[in-house]
Amino acid sequence: MPQDAPPIQLASGEPSPAGAARTVKVWDVPTRLFHWSLVALVATGALTGLFTPEWWMGVHVWAGYGMVGLITFRIVWGVFGPEYSRVVSFVYPPRSTLEHMRGLLMLRPPHYVGHNPTGALMVFALAGVLIALVTTGLLALGGEEKQGPLALVVGYSLGSGAKRVHHALTQLLLLMSMLHVAGVVTESVLTGDNLVRAIVTGWKTLPPEAPHPTPRPARPWAAAALTAALAGCAALGIGWVARQPPPHGLRAVPRNATYDKECGTCHDAHAPSLLPAASWAGIMLGLQDHFGEDASLPPETTQALAVWLVGSAAETFDTEAANRFRTVAPASPHRITATPYWVRKHAEIAPAVFKRERIKSRVNCSGCHRDASSGRFDDQAITIPEG
Amino acid sequence: MKTWSLLAVAASAGLVASVALAEPRRDAILADLREQAKKEDPRFAGFSAERGATLYRATHQGKDGPISCSTCHGSTPLGNGQTRLGKAIDPMAVSKNPARYTDSANVEKWFKRNCTEVLGRGCTATEKGDFITFMSGQ
């Protein structure tokens, strides 16, 4: 402990009924801001992940980026922040933790100025789950949606595995947040120390018998230097990732003027990545009776388009849509709109919506998906027109 | 002043003439249709824009209910149309869309599809010529 530690800050003018209660500044402004911003971002993330329609995904992703920033800040502040924000100040030996828990069971937990040992365990657990949550979120975003910093390096299967873990962690985090609040309330009641007020105002009341703490001050310059170093590493990492050759999942759909002309007049020219090769071959063999209409073409045009479609079919892309639409409905293998995934994703849209003037039909994907021609089908690019 | 207006008149006349003449391909399509029409109907006496207009608007019983050319191509050939699957169709009138009826394979392909769809049979050469004549005057 440094010799030049400043004396404990005492609140001036605080009424002290017993004459002995002292107040001490425990949570500084950055730590309090961190705490409440994190609460706001977790709430935003949970709402946009669990309840809002898919096109809120952009907000969800930004809440995630915000959390990455907050967690990074908190780790830095955990090294160079003021006394009670430092991680070392709330790492306790197992004996103290057991003692505190025993005290809790006997409804007489020992008093701690900063985090108590049981609370500290929850803090570490919450931090671990949050880090895992943003990591799996970034993996899912890159692998499944082909967005974000990892889009170029994560494949679909890893991304979709990460998404499942992300969902499980969400449930866990919500459960832990409730436990955390319950713990805060219990502790406040048992010790008479209002922990909620402490994380709002920063001040805590010391019981008369508590030892006089000698807190270490923050080292903002060291913190700034470490933050700059971390940001530099992140930039280098993202720069490296961005130089990797794009996997086939990201290649642009090659434009084909003949396809646009011959298959893009009655309906959108569907991106070839939306059906597997066998389906395209089947469609091209049956153009005379194309879903009840005559879409026949001269043999050489049919042949050329079939070769192009089969060569750019779903199997050759790694986007989420391409991966999902590889599984077609056995009864109508030529329809994207009959695939189990399409049916599931559009089950909640009323049939009347598809009849709206600017949509007209379920086959008109671009009526609602602004990026339909690219075959990406990003969540953020969905708008259902009103009329 | 006089020379200027003369020049302007001459220029616009030239422009009109060039627009009308610019489409030898459409004229060739019409000429082919005229030959065919004469073969199909010995009493054939030229295409009629009026009959073309009637063909455009007449409603028939299609396989999914009433249908006419204007169902997809719009109530007026000067405006945009829309397929039943929601895809926009450019205007059919030549004045709005000078590239219309210039690619004979494309014209034949769509007459085949759309006449079958609307009339339940292929169009006769007379009907096709009437239709293009009507559209050329629009």
Side-chain angles (χ1 to χ4, degrees), chain B residues 5-23:
Chain B
S5 39
L6 266 178
L7 268 178
V9 168
S12 40
L15 206 67
V16 169
S18 68
V19 166
L21 291 175
E23 267 322 327

Side-chain angles (χ1 to χ4, degrees), chain A residues 241-312:
Chain A
V241 164
R243 281 193 309 276
Q244 300 310 298
H248 58 262
L250 272 180
R251 71 191 166 92
V253 186
R255 290 243 62 91
N256 180 323
T258 316
Y259 183 65
D260 289 348
K261 175 166 176 260
E262 302 299 354
C263 305
T265 34
C266 294
H267 48 66
D268 274 342
H270 296 113
S273 63
L274 299 183
L275 280 175
S279 298
W280 288 124
I283 288 173
M284 297 311 284
L285 284 174
L287 287 181
Q288 290 80 357
D289 181 4
H290 179 72
F291 303 93
E293 288 196 22
D294 175 9
S296 57
L297 295 167
E300 57 289 357
T301 317
T302 310
Q303 174 72 21
L305 284 180
V307 168
W308 179 75
L309 281 166
V310 165
S312 317

